[in-house]
């Protein structure tokens, strides 16, 4: 089942890269395993996946002992991070996509790959750095020697129509260009083609690989 879905996702990625004149190697497939048990990560790893995205520090803390030994595996935090969990998150994850302030960045411990989450929509529930504060946060993080600032991340408002996400992806790319950041963590199961057309370097894919989650999120 997973093997079949992975093949379908790979075909979508390849087609989108071809259409955009990009190389498949330039887009990382981040497998989003939130809500699923550790077994699912083991199965995905056996099929060759190496990058795994999780949303909740506590949930991954419970799964981590079963998967931390996996050869070459990298674990990415893609859910909102509270300051008081920054230390724990630093132990569990090598990549953090949801840094939204210099203060939070300053609480991370050890060498980390960082994306700054940018809030591009007006939705109350969304986290992220306001675009007008981005320059300050970029400068502050780039002055922290143990953090490698890879790029920007965003989550557009949910919509059935992937074209609705395009303006958000364009805006994120423009901001990344302005601050000379190479990485763009954008695109999910429903809109990865549009994200790749607009320059995504990391697509975060859950449902298309693992099926529907029990909890909505
Ligand atoms: C859950 C989640 C995803 C994966 O979404 P799917 O639609 O299941 O592919 C990607 N990014 C973030 C931030 C998420 O919370």
């Amino acid at each position: 089942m997973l093997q079949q879905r992975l093949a379908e996702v790979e075909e979508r990625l390849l087609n989108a890269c071809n259409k955009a004149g990009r190389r498949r190697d330039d887009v990382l497939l981040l497998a989003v395993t939130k809500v699923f048990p550790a077994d699912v990560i083991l199965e995905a790893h056996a099929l060759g996946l190496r990058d795994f995205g999780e949303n909740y520090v506590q949930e991954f803390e419970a799964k981590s002992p079963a998967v931390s030994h996996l050869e070459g595996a990298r674990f990415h935090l893609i859910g909102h991070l509270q300051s008081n969990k920054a230390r724990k998150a630093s132990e569990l994850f090598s990549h953090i996509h949801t840094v939204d302030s210099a203060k939070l960045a300053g609480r991370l411990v050890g060498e980390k790959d960082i994306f700054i989450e940018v809030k591009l929509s007006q939705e109350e529930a969304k986290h992220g750095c306001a675009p007008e504060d981005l320059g300050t946060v970029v400068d502050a993080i780039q002055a922290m020697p143990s953090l490698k600032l890879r790029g920007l991340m965003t989550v557009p408002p949910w919509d059935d129509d992937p074209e609705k996400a395009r303006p958000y992806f364009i805006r994120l790319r423009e901001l990344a260009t302005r601050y000379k950041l190479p990485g763009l963590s954008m695109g999910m199961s429903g809109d990865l083609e549009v994200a790749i057309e607009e320059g995504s370097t990391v697509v975060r894919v859950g449902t298309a690989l693992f099926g529907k989650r029990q909890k909505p999120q």
Side-chain angles (χ1 to χ4, degrees):
M1 195 64 180
L2 177 55
Q3 191 164 19
Q4 172 65 28
R5 283 180 168 145
L6 176 57
E8 285 164 13
V9 168
E10 275 300 340
E11 192 179 324
R12 287 176 63 191
L13 293 174
L14 196 59
N15 287 339
C17 286
N18 286 341
K19 192 174 162 206
R22 302 185 57 203
R23 294 179 359 185
R24 170 66 189 88
D25 282 355
D26 294 337
V27 182
L28 178 72
L29 173 57
L30 177 55
V32 177
T33 46
K34 65 174 169 216
V35 182
F36 289 98
D39 285 354
V40 167
I41 300 177
L42 299 179
E43 191 188 352
H45 182 270
L47 291 171
L49 287 164
R50 290 294 177 267
D51 289 274
F52 301 97
E54 290 275 340
N55 284 58
Y56 311 102
V57 173
Q58 264 167 325
E59 181 192 327
F60 188 61
E61 191 179 5
K63 292 192 236 178
S64 173
V67 299
S68 58
H69 67 284
L70 289 172
E71 182 86 39
R74 289 172 294 263
F75 298 101
H76 303 237
L77 181 67
I78 63 168
H80 177 60
L81 179 57
Q82 292 169 294
S83 298
N84 63 356
K85 297 216 175 102
R87 179 170 286 270
K88 179 53 74 181
S90 303
E91 291 169 18
L92 296 168
F93 298 99
S94 58
H95 293 63
I96 304 198
H97 291 236
T98 47
V99 173
D100 58 5
S101 70
K103 183 165 162 254
L104 177 60
R107 290 191 180 218
L108 298 171
V109 181
E111 303 226 326
K112 297 293 151 205
D113 289 276
I114 299 295
F115 289 80
I116 300 173
E117 181 174 5
V118 186
K119 180 175 155 68
L120 296 176
S121 69
Q122 299 313 313
E123 292 172 289
E124 276 297 319
K126 283 270 159 61
H127 297 283
C129 174
E132 54 272 25
D133 299 334
L134 193 53
T136 311
V137 178
V138 167
D139 287 347
I141 293 178
Q142 284 179 333
M144 298 179 189
S146 60
L147 302 184
K148 285 172 254 158
L149 181 56
R150 298 302 187 193
L152 304 179
M153 178 270 206
T154 202
V155 185
W158 199 89
D159 202 293
D160 263 339
D161 175 5
E163 282 300 325
K164 291 277 176 16
R166 190 183 297 274
Y168 296 93
F169 296 154
I170 292 174
R171 183 94 174 90
L172 196 72
R173 186 189 65 221
E174 288 170 350
L175 288 168
T177 303
R178 181 184 317 164
Y179 295 107
K180 301 189 169 57
L181 300 171
L184 286 170
S185 171
M186 61 189 199
M188 318 202 307
S189 293
D191 55 19
L192 63 87
E193 286 87 355
V194 177
I196 288 171
E197 276 177 45
E198 299 303 341
S200 173
T201 63
V202 184
V203 289
R204 309 177 308 262
V205 179
T207 311
L209 288 172
F210 305 112
K212 276 218 166 64
R213 288 176 293 272
Q214 293 299 343
K215 286 186 275 179
Q217 293 234 12

